[in-house]
Amino acid sequence: MIVKATYFQNDAREPLKYGDVEIENIRRQRLKGEPQKEGILCEPVMVGFCGTDFELMHMGERGALTPKFPEGTDRLINGHEGIVWVPSKNRFAIVLIRGGDSVDPTRYTEDETYFEYGCDKADGLFADKQYFHPDMLLPIPDGYVHNGKLDLSFAKKMVFPDPFACMLFQLERMEDMGSAHNFRRAMRVHGCSEEKAREIAREEVFDRTVIFGLGTTGMFIGDLISRKYKNANILFVARSGESSRKVTFALKNSRASYLQNTYDSEKALAEAIIRKLGGRATTFIGVSGSSVEHRIAFEHRVLGCNGLYNSFSLGPKVTFDTMPFGFENHVIIASINFRQDHMEQAIRLLAESRYDEIVELIPREEFTADPIGAYNGKIYSKSAPLKTAVIWNEKYIDTEK
């Protein structure tokens, strides 16, 4: 079937293109032990743009995208955040992005396979029509469809389940690691059982939390930590002014405080972070995409003894001096992933949120006329909104709600 779509390719001058693309109904597997199934034809409705898309475009410029292409093709239809209409089921759905021959997609091993719609080995949502695994079309909550159309405010929120699910997984990872890493110390300090000590250690890992960077992922993890751990001291660190829209929105959605990075040196910034926190960090979450993250945490000793470093930035290298690293018992974790239950929880939480307020729309015609120009000049420019999305099929959206 030939459809109109945007797609990545290996081309130094035109790594992202809009035009006719042939799609196929490829049999896929959701999890190990389950049968392969043909996809169901869907119509993408609203699609969000992710920083991964921008990185994939740059990979295409470098000619490095070949491992990402669906088998037998030389291109990848992008888009992995959004909502679709399923004509054969007469309903809307959120696409669960990751599947494959693995027991748990957050723990796939070398001898297991995976795919990600719009990212890796499987075509995504930026197409007029697309095939998706029937069991990976997650239902939406009731109350957001009227006269066959989605409320625009709800549709905007549904460009976030993918990154929000990632942050739910990050919270789970930090809880698991913090509990396992520090429960023996908690047993001695509190004179309690191992079970109780693990609970205490799980909570104490967030006592002084630095979130370095304030994009949507940083905003989400701050929100989730503050929801669950009422005693957590959370500090966002970024360059934006305190009165900027994203800072005020992030603080409104969490119990975090904020430190603007206006310092002349990394040392001065590190000292300011420690002062603001009231001590060295128990957890340091890097989401800025900058190599400054690891230097602040390790070289300038913002991360305290027995602390957890969670790297969620794509691109920067993390380095550390093995002497203080070993003696201060730091743990470094990194994983960009989620399970279906994370995605389902994300959908429920987002439906009741106000995250539609930070989504701005780019007209489809503007994006498809010059996709590369839209990426560079608007969607990922220095003046870009916190989140950009496109209504791909207007007939399914009620723009008045």
Side-chain angles (χ1 to χ4, degrees), residues 309-321:
Y309 184 92
N310 187 355
S311 173
F312 200 79
S313 290
L314 289 175
K317 294 182 179 180
V318 176
T319 62
F320 53 86
D321 185 335

Side-chain angles (χ1 to χ4, degrees), residues 197-333:
R198 287 183 180 273
E199 292 179 11
I200 293 170
R202 183 181 298 114
E203 182 168 354
E204 286 182 343
V205 76
F206 301 111
D207 277 356
R208 294 181 300 278
T209 300
V210 173
I211 301 174
F212 200 89
L214 193 51
T216 52
T217 51
M219 190 179 295
F220 292 158
I221 195 62
D223 179 1
L224 290 170
I225 293 171
S226 66
R227 285 176 190 239
K228 191 167 184 179
Y229 296 100
K230 304 304 181 185
N231 295 323
N233 180 7
I234 305 166
L235 177 65
F236 289 116
V237 181
R239 293 188 176 276
S240 301
E242 291 193 40
S243 61
S244 68
R245 184 183 179 193
K246 71 177 179 180
V247 172
T248 55
F249 185 87
L251 297 182
K252 180 174 61 177
N253 273 282
S254 66
R255 292 175 294 95
S257 55
Y258 181 69
L259 179 67
Q260 184 181 5
N261 180 9
T262 58
Y263 296 88
D264 295 331
S265 69
E266 293 175 3
K267 182 175 182 294
L269 172 61
E271 291 171 348
I273 292 172
I274 293 171
R275 284 196 304 272
K276 188 87 171 179
L277 275 178
R280 295 170 69 193
T282 52
T283 290
F284 189 107
I285 305 170
V287 289
S288 73
S290 165
S291 58
V292 173
E293 295 173 351
H294 72 95
R295 294 197 297 270
I296 293 294
F298 297 117
E299 292 180 26
H300 300 289
R301 306 184 71 238
V302 165
L303 184 62
C305 291
N306 308 306
L308 186 67
Y309 184 92
N310 187 355
S311 173
F312 200 79
S313 290
L314 289 175
K317 294 182 179 180
V318 176
T319 62
F320 53 86
D321 185 335
T322 55
M323 180 67 80
F325 175 79
F327 278 94
E328 294 195 339
N329 297 311
H330 292 147
V331 170
I332 299 176
I333 64 170

Side-chain angles (χ1 to χ4, degrees), residues 1-179:
M1 178 183 294
I2 303 296
V3 298
K4 291 289 187 184
T6 61
Y7 57 93
F8 294 121
Q9 59 183 358
N10 285 324
D11 190 310
R13 297 182 61 186
E14 200 172 24
L16 177 61
K17 190 173 181 179
Y18 175 73
D20 290 337
V21 183
E22 185 173 2
I23 61 171
E24 296 184 36
N25 192 354
I26 299 172
R27 296 174 65 86
R28 298 192 183 279
Q29 186 176 14
R30 181 177 60 169
L31 290 172
K32 184 181 287 292
E34 295 184 354
Q36 291 188 345
K37 293 185 179 182
E38 288 189 348
I40 293 179
L41 195 62
C42 300
E43 300 176 28
V45 177
M46 172 85 84
V47 191
F49 298 91
C50 173
T52 301
D53 299 327
F54 201 36
E55 177 59 26
L56 289 171
M57 187 179 79
H58 291 315
M59 289 176 67
E61 289 176 330
R62 302 192 300 269
L65 272 180
T66 300
K68 301 286 187 182
F69 294 148
E71 185 176 355
T73 73
D74 59 0
R75 87 294 173 279
L76 171 70
I77 297 175
N78 58 313
H80 58 278
E81 299 178 347
I83 192 163
V84 301
W85 171 251
V86 191
S88 62
K89 302 294 184 180
N90 195 37
R91 69 178 178 92
F92 292 98
I94 307 296
V95 180
L96 176 64
I97 297 303
R98 179 182 279 267
D101 185 30
S102 60
V103 173
D104 180 343
T106 67
R107 295 290 190 277
Y108 70 90
T109 59
E110 295 84 356
D111 60 345
E112 294 179 327
T113 62
Y114 72 93
F115 68 88
E116 291 186 7
Y117 287 119
C119 294
D120 211 327
K121 307 179 187 70
D123 286 329
L125 279 75
F126 277 115
D128 288 347
K129 295 182 180 181
Q130 188 59 270
Y131 294 101
F132 297 109
H133 190 294
D135 299 331
M136 297 173 70
L137 294 169
L138 306 183
I140 66 171
D142 293 335
Y144 300 101
V145 178
H146 299 90
N147 299 317
K149 293 187 175 184
L150 273 173
D151 297 350
L152 177 59
S153 59
F154 174 78
K156 285 182 173 181
K157 298 172 189 176
M158 291 303 108
V159 301
F160 288 126
D162 179 288
F164 205 85
C166 279
M167 291 302 102
L168 284 164
F169 176 53
Q170 292 307 306
L171 179 61
E172 177 185 283
R173 287 268 286 170
M174 290 185 288
E175 290 172 332
D176 290 350
M177 297 303 293
S179 177

